[in-house]
Amino acid sequence: MPLETVLAVIGAALIFAIVITALFAPWIAPYGENASVGGAYEPWSAVHVFGTDSIGRDILSRMIYGGRNTIGLAFAATCLAFFIGSALGTAAAVLGGWVDLVLGRLNDLLMAIPQLIFALLILTVVGSSAYTLIAVIGVLESTRVFRLARSLSVSIVHQDFVEVAKLRGESLGWIVFREVVPVSFPNLLAEFGLRFSFTILFVSSLSFLGLGLQPPTADWGALVRENASLIAFGDVTPLLPAGAIALLTVAVNLVVDWYLAKIRRRSAL
Amino acid sequence: MSDNQLLKISGLRVEVPSPKGNSTILHDVGLTLNRGEVLGLIGESGAGKSTLGLAAAGFVKPGCAITGGSILFDGKELVGMDRTLLEKLRGVRVAYVAQSASASFNPSFQLGAQCAETALQHHLMSGNEADARVQELFAEMMLPNPEQIVFRYPHQVSGGQLQRAMTAMAMVCRPDLIIFDEPTTALDVTTQVGVLASIRSIVEHYGTAAIYVTHDLAVVAQMADRIMVMKNGRMVEQATTREMLSNPKEEYTKSLWSIRNFKTDERSRDAEALVMQIKGINAAYGSHAVLNDINFDVPKARTVAIVGESGSGKSTLARVITGLHPPVSGSIKFEDKPLAGHVSKRSRYELESVQIIHQYPDKALNPRQRIGDIIARPLRLYFGLKGEELRGRVRQILQTLELDPDQMYNRLPHELSGGQKQRVCIGRALAAKPKVIICDEVTSALDQVVAEGILKTLVRIQQEFGVSYVVITHDIGLVQAIADEVVVLKSGNIIEAGSKSQVLSPPFAEYTQLLLASTPEMDPDWLTNLLHARAGEKLANESL
Amino acid sequence: MRNLILTRLALAIVTLFFVSVIVFAAVRFLPGDIAQQLLGQSATPENVAALRQQLGLDVPGYISYFDWLGGLFRGDLGQSIATGRSVSELISGRLANTLFLAGFTAIIAIPLGYIFGFLGALLKGTSFDRATNVIALSIISLPEYFVAYVLVVLLAVKTGWFPALSRVSPSMGFLDYAERLVLPSMSLGFVIIAYIMRVTKSSILNVLGEDYVQMAQMKGNSRFRVMFVHALPNALAPIINVTAINLAYLVVGVVIVETVFVYPGLGQLLVDSVAKRDMPVVQAVCLVFAGIYILVNATADILIVLSNPRLRHAK
């Protein structure tokens, strides 16, 4: 088996394990999300695998719940981004004309503001909750999806087979869902993977800055922030949640790389 | 080995290494070439002729590797030669002229600098010498204003001129050998003649040996002293040009030669049976007029050929007829009723009656749809066929096109060859039960043998179903083969229109004659005679 | 071509205008009463009304927008609610610190990114290429604060080579200052090197497949000359683009790194002000960040136009 395939299998296994852990957090985590079950800052032990935090909560349990929150939030935001971005991007390409122009300009405008700054501004005003986070991140990320979906669709729309469909008298629905989307779908799927891993980084950055899910809810970015003071003593525990993020994003990237190579090979045939 | 021998390739094997087993591009091929000799390499795509040509410079494309054999150039072995030594050879003693001049000149540098590069890099000339030499060669290649054109960038110069400049570039260091890789394939025929003449005269003038790679028999007949025929990475046969043309030995060569003989007899139109009438069409892109006052009729069950070179507006005409590009003025009548300018305003019956087949079957078939579904779609949409009836009809259409329904039904387009894909496109058009099919350069992207098969199929379908064709083409040979009526188009104007026998026999319109005269023929003396005739005409004109 | 450049500049100005509207409108029109939030639920209605007046929330939106915009042009960005100090004063010192950190990092990291990219293209398929690929991919997949904290643990806490925190003041000597910049700029630099390397490599490899590169080889050019003289000038557009994105990222990405290292830059000011809901400061900092971002992107687009021979030399 080529190296890329081996890495992709490892990546897929990692994603599977992390997602299962997140889904079944209440059954897997040894303690509750916010239960104070020990003394402050207990070291690693058999009872508390990664020790406890400043108010005696089990860090491993908070990591497991945190994964559930971070991944769930990022997944929802990515789905929203794809729903908005691919629908509008494909529409802009297929309809062309002023629809394309207006949507394109609006998208450029949103992309002209740095994402993190924009998110900070809006979240400061409307306040952070799961819903506002999903909405803000979803809309900001949809600009990237829009760009890709539009450029993919534009190149497809100008192919002769779409011209043939138009000449055949096909409806707009057929052209979009039967001619354009099936061809752009593999690339959009790969982009979904990349966007998802980027969104996890984004969500955790916001949490790290204190604008993610609000305490006492656990999430991977906030866990680093909560326990950051331990780092000054050379304790790496606060880095574990960040490590979990890295593991997940690397795993997603490995699978996406393999998948992209596969669809490139197929289209080169 | 005689002193006269410049190149000797023997047992050459080129492969694409891959973990799943190597695929072989060249199977133990050999050739010899004497000083000053021109060898023509001909074959269809995938024959390995370009690979063999490049190998003469010890070069293989990225991803390929020489896995056996030897390449002796002037007594020196190029296989396994040190890279720096090869670099000293390339451009200096072996030069290369590529197919697409516009893609092979670096867009970032001026033509003169690119032409002088090799001489300067290898310290063979001073800057002034090299510049003078480039200008001299540009003049010799009949480029206008050599002293100005050296400062132009590639995108500022026409395709024909770039091809001339590239030949000049190859000549700068007076190489012993030039490899020409389909140098005129991308050019219009009227441009091609001049470039061919210039290449031939400059090669003769300097006594340079050449390997001339092409798929065009008529072109190679003009250029080569000796011809080698290749197929699937193997040599089929070789002989001197006259011998090869008059007396091919192998079956494959004979089949290549016979393509040019396919021809249908012209049929006159049935009294008043017209399917379509094009009247006074003017079309434009923005303020730029593309078609001026186009008029012609499409008779029932006949073939009308629209012939013209690039920029003639023939593709726009196809878009106007199909309703993708509404005309500025004029009308199209279909079965005596006016046809709306825009496709969205045409009735279902009109849509099914006018079908189009494109040049590139790759782009005309959705890569994610199965062959069976592609052909089934018009049947379902127009005639509401379902279930067994639908499947039966699709199988019937596949069979009409000589495609095996059991194999093809569930395949995706990328699993088919180019010719098979074009047959699927014909099948999709046929499924709509059309009255008129527009064939837009349908054979240009295909190998000649495959193209001939497609033409025969088109002719058979016309006889069977009584459909009319509007054939859009640049190839006067194709017109001669299948047209009943001809429209000659130049810069958006009709030069001449009428029956094939009328348009393609004397007295000619001037442009038609130019087109006809510029189309290479298999006669090895064709180019020489043409140039003599043109020189004579010029003299006659001057003396008047 | 001149028209293209002027159009791009005009577009940047229009974009900046719209961004200022968005930044202003976000505070003004999004749900959530800032005055109420600032004072808490126990505040008397009179106090809330007074604060609303101070924030200009009591006059119609478009009037206070033009007041704000007018102030912007005079360099008067209003007063911070939390400290009462002038916003422009608060920002100017911080901006210098941020630009210094960003510039310091850019000067080192961007050339390194190019070099690794060229090497990757030149040595494609070798173990060097594979190793740098994997490392770059991993770095891109890591959260910025992770890289930062790992550096703190390794180079500050365990070894004591560099200070873990980067509190700097203008009175500090240059060496002290530079020492405190090492860890933050390393944290930023790794990501930049990784991104620039990947794009540089892939854009050169793309161009290497072109016909004119094969022609350059057939003309007897050395491998080095093929790569740098024939391929590179035609691979500039994506390289310029990724450089701009990373320069923009440097200025914006500092938000997190400054927070980790408590470096007194604009990013840290933004995070502090967000926590205090000090809206005049948040708005001003957001606008400065967006302005730099738009400026860098516009510059890159213009450089890309300039690097294209088809646009530089019209027909």
Side-chain angles (χ1 to χ4, degrees):
Chain A
M1 219 168 15
L3 180 67
E4 284 72 25
T5 315
V6 177
L7 288 174
V9 170
I10 296 173
L14 270 173
I15 296 172
F16 183 75
I18 293 173
V19 168
I20 289 292
T21 317
L23 277 179
F24 298 100
W27 291 274
I28 292 173
Y31 305 97
E33 185 175 356
N34 295 311
S36 193
V37 290
Y41 295 129
E42 282 187 31
W44 296 14
S45 69
V47 187
H48 300 291
V49 179
F50 293 141
T52 59
D53 67 6
S54 60
I55 51 173
R57 292 175 297 192
D58 180 63
I59 289 184
L60 175 64
S61 303
R62 278 185 72 72
M63 263 182 71
I64 292 173
Y65 277 100
R68 178 189 170 99
N69 295 330
T70 302
I71 294 172
L73 196 75
F75 188 74
T78 315
C79 288
L80 179 66
F82 266 77
F83 181 74
I84 303 174
S86 50
L88 293 183
T90 310
V94 174
L95 297 174
W98 65 269
V99 180
D100 189 20
L101 197 75
V102 169
L103 287 175
R105 282 278 163 271
L106 251 157
N107 197 63
D108 285 350
L109 182 61
L110 280 181
M111 285 182 94
I113 310 175
Q115 278 189 320
L116 186 65
I117 304 299
F118 205 172
L120 284 177
L121 176 69
I122 306 287
L123 289 172
T124 311
V125 180
V126 298
S128 288
S129 70
Y131 297 111
T132 55
L133 279 168
I134 290 171
V136 170
I137 297 171
V139 169
L140 288 179
E141 284 287 294
S142 73
T143 57
R144 320 270 147 153
V145 182
F146 174 90
R147 242 191 197 186
L148 180 78
R150 184 184 169 278
S151 74
L152 280 174
S153 305
V154 163
S155 66
I156 297 167
V157 164
H158 287 110
Q159 302 246 358
D160 292 339
F161 62 80
V162 177
E163 190 179 300
V164 169
K166 282 184 192 158
L167 290 179
R168 200 160 58 221
E170 297 285 7
S171 65
L172 187 65
W174 174 280
I175 288 175
V176 170
F177 292 106
R178 295 303 188 86
E179 302 286 347
V180 176
V181 171
V183 182
S184 63
F185 184 75
N187 283 300
L188 283 175
L189 188 65
E191 179 71 5
F192 187 91
L194 295 179
R195 281 294 121 210
F196 174 64
S197 64
F198 188 82
T199 308
I200 288 190
L201 291 175
F202 194 21
V203 168
S204 74
S205 293
L206 284 172
S207 305
F208 177 77
L209 294 174
L211 274 168
L213 291 170
Q214 294 303 300
T217 313
D219 85 51
W220 283 348
L223 282 177
V224 177
R225 177 190 170 89
E226 282 168 19
N227 301 311
S229 53
L230 288 176
I231 289 173
F233 305 101
D235 185 343
V236 295
T237 312
L239 296 183
L240 291 173
I245 293 171
L247 209 60
L248 181 58
T249 49
V250 170
V252 170
N253 273 308
L254 288 174
V255 176
V256 169
D257 272 5
W258 168 84
Y259 181 70
L260 273 174
K262 195 183 121 172
I263 55 181
R264 260 184 223 131
R265 266 200 307 280
R266 196 170 59 195
S267 60
L269 281 172
Chain B
M1 190 168 113
S2 72
D3 273 355
N4 203 24
Q5 193 175 70
L6 179 66
L7 179 73
K8 181 176 168 63
I9 296 178
S10 43
L12 187 69
R13 203 173 176 80
V14 175
E15 297 181 299
V16 182
S18 101
K20 287 176 188 158
N22 299 358
S23 59
T24 310
I25 301 176
L26 287 181
H27 300 265
D28 308 319
V29 182
L31 66 80
T32 57
L33 185 69
N34 290 331
R35 290 180 196 282
E37 188 186 18
V38 179
L39 172 69
L41 281 185
I42 93 155
E44 307 188 280
S45 56
K49 54 192 192 299
S50 289
T51 310
L52 182 58
L54 287 169
F59 184 88
V60 284
K61 296 204 171 195
C64 304
I66 296 177
T67 52
S70 116
I71 305 164
L72 277 179
F73 177 82
D74 206 10
K76 286 188 282 287
E77 177 61 56
L78 302 190
V79 177
M81 185 187 250
D82 190 57
R83 208 183 62 234
T84 52
L85 289 177
L86 271 176
E87 281 162 7
K88 288 206 173 101
L89 207 67
R90 288 184 192 146
V92 180
R93 299 201 57 201
V94 188
Y96 176 66
V97 176
Q99 170 168 5
S100 165
S102 52
S104 296
F105 272 112
N106 193 321
S108 296
F109 302 104
Q110 292 166 341
L111 290 179
Q114 295 195 53
C115 291
E117 185 184 15
T118 306
L120 297 179
Q121 280 305 304
H122 292 92
H123 310 292
L124 301 172
M125 295 176 202
S126 71
N128 288 339
E129 278 168 1
D131 289 345
R133 175 104 180 102
V134 169
Q135 289 195 17
E136 181 193 326
L137 284 165
F138 274 19
E140 208 167 336
M141 285 304 292
M142 317 288 273
L143 280 163
N145 303 326
E147 62 286 348
Q148 284 166 23
I149 217 165
V150 289
F151 297 114
R152 296 296 192 90
Y153 284 82
H155 68 274
Q156 298 170 319
V157 176
S158 76
Q161 292 181 341
L162 276 182
Q163 207 66 50
R164 288 169 191 269
M166 193 155 55
T167 304
M169 177 161 80
M171 274 294 175
V172 170
C173 297
R174 299 225 170 122
D176 299 295
L177 171 64
I178 300 187
I179 303 151
F180 291 97
D181 191 353
E182 307 252 14
T184 59
T185 306
L187 304 178
D188 280 329
V189 279
T190 50
T191 319
Q192 172 175 265
V193 176
V195 176
L196 285 179
S198 296
I199 290 179
R200 200 171 70 173
S201 90
I202 204 165
V203 167
E204 271 169 16
H205 179 197
Y206 292 103
T208 316
I211 293 179
Y212 199 100
V213 176
T214 181
H215 70 284
D216 191 330
L217 299 162
V219 166
V220 82
Q222 313 311 315
M223 308 302 283
D225 303 319
R226 194 151 51 93
I227 293 178
M228 177 165 151
V229 181
M230 295 187 68
K231 187 190 182 192
N232 296 335
R234 292 189 169 85
M235 185 187 83
V236 177
E237 63 176 314
Q238 62 169 327
T240 61
T241 301
R242 281 170 202 280
E243 171 76 15
M244 185 68 96
L245 290 176
S246 58
N247 190 18
K249 301 219 162 35
E250 299 292 324
E251 276 310 308
Y252 177 69
T253 318
K254 286 179 191 160
S255 75
L256 284 181
W257 268 222
S258 69
I259 291 167
R260 296 240 158 198
N261 300 329
F262 174 68
K263 191 167 183 255
T264 59
D265 292 327
E266 177 185 322
R267 299 155 297 177
S268 57
R269 41 170 98 167
D270 288 338
E272 290 305 306
L274 296 180
V275 190
M276 196 179 262
Q277 289 152 284
I278 314 280
K279 287 207 162 94
I281 291 285
N282 288 289
Y285 287 108
S287 60
H288 175 66
V290 184
L291 291 172
N292 303 312
D293 192 26
I294 302 296
N295 294 285
F296 65 92
D297 299 332
V298 182
K300 192 169 169 11
R302 295 290 179 268
T303 300
V304 181
I306 314 287
V307 61
E309 297 188 285
S310 50
S312 62
K314 58 187 194 299
S315 296
T316 308
L317 184 55
R319 293 175 66 80
V320 170
I321 298 174
T322 53
L324 284 170
H325 187 82
V328 177
S329 61
S331 70
I332 304 173
K333 272 189 176 172
F334 172 72
E335 293 181 341
D336 290 327
K337 285 194 275 300
L339 202 55
H342 198 275
V343 64
S344 59
K345 299 201 180 73
R346 293 187 183 176
S347 73
R348 179 138 287 187
Y349 174 70
E350 288 164 347
L351 290 177
E352 47 185 80
S353 296
V354 183
Q355 294 289 314
I356 184 166
I357 306 170
H358 291 89
Q359 175 172 9
Y360 298 102
D362 283 322
K363 296 185 190 165
L365 297 174
N366 190 319
R368 309 297 308 147
Q369 290 174 1
R370 298 192 181 274
I371 303 305
D373 297 332
I374 290 174
I375 294 180
R377 181 60 193 165
L379 297 171
R380 204 193 292 262
L381 183 70
Y382 294 145
F383 312 116
L385 296 192
K386 283 193 191 77
E388 273 315 306
E389 198 190 357
L390 177 66
R391 232 160 296 149
R393 182 82 187 100
V394 173
R395 295 175 71 88
Q396 203 184 337
I397 290 172
L398 285 170
Q399 264 158 357
T400 310
L401 293 157
E402 295 152 42
L403 295 168
D404 180 357
D406 295 320
Q407 279 184 22
M408 292 295 163
Y409 208 103
N410 285 317
R411 286 204 191 168
L412 288 169
H414 72 80
E415 297 170 291
L416 273 60
S417 72
Q420 288 173 326
K421 280 182 242 186
Q422 196 59 294
R423 284 171 191 274
V424 173
C425 292
I426 299 174
R428 175 174 57 190
L430 205 56
K433 292 194 184 158
K435 304 290 183 294
V436 180
I437 300 182
I438 295 155
C439 302
D440 188 0
E441 301 272 12
V442 284
T443 54
S444 308
L446 303 173
D447 278 326
Q448 287 176 326
V449 173
V450 179
E452 193 200 14
I454 296 283
L455 286 188
K456 285 183 174 160
T457 305
L458 284 173
V459 169
R460 183 167 51 77
I461 284 171
Q462 184 168 57
Q463 283 158 359
E464 212 170 307
F465 300 95
V467 56
S468 304
Y469 292 136
V470 177
V471 172
I472 305 230
T473 182
H474 69 284
D475 180 0
I476 210 122
L478 178 66
V479 178
Q480 277 161 331
I482 65 166
D484 298 305
E485 301 190 6
V486 183
V487 176
V488 182
L489 212 57
K490 188 195 179 202
S491 314
N493 294 296
I494 290 184
I495 298 295
E496 201 180 358
S499 69
K500 175 163 73 179
S501 54
Q502 198 185 328
V503 173
L504 299 187
S505 50
F508 295 112
E510 196 182 340
Y511 180 69
T512 315
Q513 190 177 17
L514 179 68
L515 269 184
L516 275 170
S518 304
T519 305
E521 289 167 21
M522 296 284 272
D523 173 10
D525 297 322
W526 169 81
L527 183 61
T528 316
N529 295 340
L530 177 71
L531 295 175
H532 278 304
R534 286 196 182 166
E537 257 170 49
K538 206 174 160 202
L539 271 180
N541 285 341
E542 275 165 13
S543 62
L544 275 176
Chain C
M1 187 184 65
R2 203 159 91 228
N3 286 343
L4 263 175
I5 292 174
L6 289 177
T7 314
R8 187 63 189 81
L9 280 176
L11 189 68
I13 292 169
V14 172
T15 310
L16 197 56
F17 169 74
F18 276 108
V19 169
S20 76
V21 173
I22 291 176
V23 167
F24 179 81
V27 175
R28 186 67 197 237
F29 299 112
L30 282 177
D33 187 334
I34 285 293
Q36 187 76 55
Q37 283 178 21
L38 274 167
L39 297 171
Q41 292 305 320
S42 55
T44 61
E46 293 77 37
N47 285 348
V48 174
L51 186 61
R52 287 179 64 88
Q53 195 182 1
Q54 188 196 332
L55 291 174
L57 294 175
D58 54 338
V59 287
Y62 65 94
I63 294 179
S64 56
Y65 170 72
F66 284 111
D67 278 351
W68 183 67
L69 198 65
L72 216 61
F73 280 111
R74 293 190 306 273
D76 171 17
L77 296 165
Q79 260 98 48
S80 155
I81 300 174
T83 62
R85 289 174 60 193
S86 137
V87 175
S88 33
E89 214 174 282
L90 264 175
I91 285 182
S92 56
R94 300 288 193 122
L95 179 61
N97 281 345
T98 289
L99 289 179
F100 190 73
L101 173 60
F104 187 79
T105 311
I107 287 172
I108 298 167
I110 290 176
L112 278 176
Y114 294 151
I115 291 172
F116 279 113
F118 294 143
L119 285 176
L122 210 53
L123 303 173
K124 185 177 181 277
T126 61
S127 42
F128 170 84
D129 176 39
R130 282 162 189 235
T132 45
N133 253 347
V134 172
I135 294 171
L137 180 64
S138 317
I139 290 174
I140 289 172
S141 311
L142 297 173
E144 290 117 339
Y145 49 84
F146 181 74
V147 180
Y149 279 132
V150 168
L151 290 173
V152 168
V153 170
L154 292 180
L155 301 181
V157 180
K158 298 275 186 200
T159 57
W161 290 346
F162 299 102
L165 296 180
S166 307
R167 292 206 177 89
V168 293
S169 63
S171 56
M172 233 171 232
F174 179 75
L175 278 182
D176 279 348
Y177 202 111
E179 194 189 22
R180 284 168 171 72
L181 278 183
V182 171
L183 291 187
S185 42
M186 272 174 89
S187 321
L188 289 166
F190 278 130
V191 185
I192 290 170
I193 294 172
Y195 270 113
I196 292 189
M197 184 205 109
R198 276 166 69 103
V199 174
T200 305
K201 185 182 131 191
S202 70
S203 42
I204 290 191
L205 287 180
N206 267 340
V207 173
L208 286 184
E210 298 284 339
D211 286 354
Y212 53 79
V213 171
Q214 181 179 326
M215 184 48 116
Q217 289 170 307
M218 292 302 283
K219 281 163 74 182
N221 285 296
S222 66
R223 226 158 45 160
F224 186 83
R225 195 176 155 84
V226 168
M227 177 92 60
F228 287 97
V229 177
H230 286 272
L232 185 59
N234 298 297
L236 280 180
I239 296 177
I240 293 173
N241 205 19
V242 74
T243 308
I245 290 171
N246 279 282
L247 275 175
Y249 160 82
L250 257 182
V251 177
V252 176
V254 289
V255 174
I256 287 179
V257 169
E258 284 181 2
T259 310
V260 170
F261 291 98
V262 204
Y263 179 81
L266 215 49
Q268 210 214 4
L269 177 66
L270 176 62
V271 174
D272 286 350
S273 311
V274 161
K276 294 180 205 144
R277 305 203 170 264
D278 193 345
M279 292 324 287
V281 182
V282 172
Q283 282 178 318
V285 176
C286 283
L287 203 58
V288 171
F289 275 135
I292 295 173
Y293 198 81
I294 291 167
L295 190 75
V296 169
N297 280 323
T299 313
D301 285 351
I302 290 169
L303 284 177
I304 287 170
V305 170
L306 289 175
S307 79
N308 185 337
R310 283 164 206 275
L311 297 174
R312 203 168 55 221
H313 311 280
K315 282 215 166 196

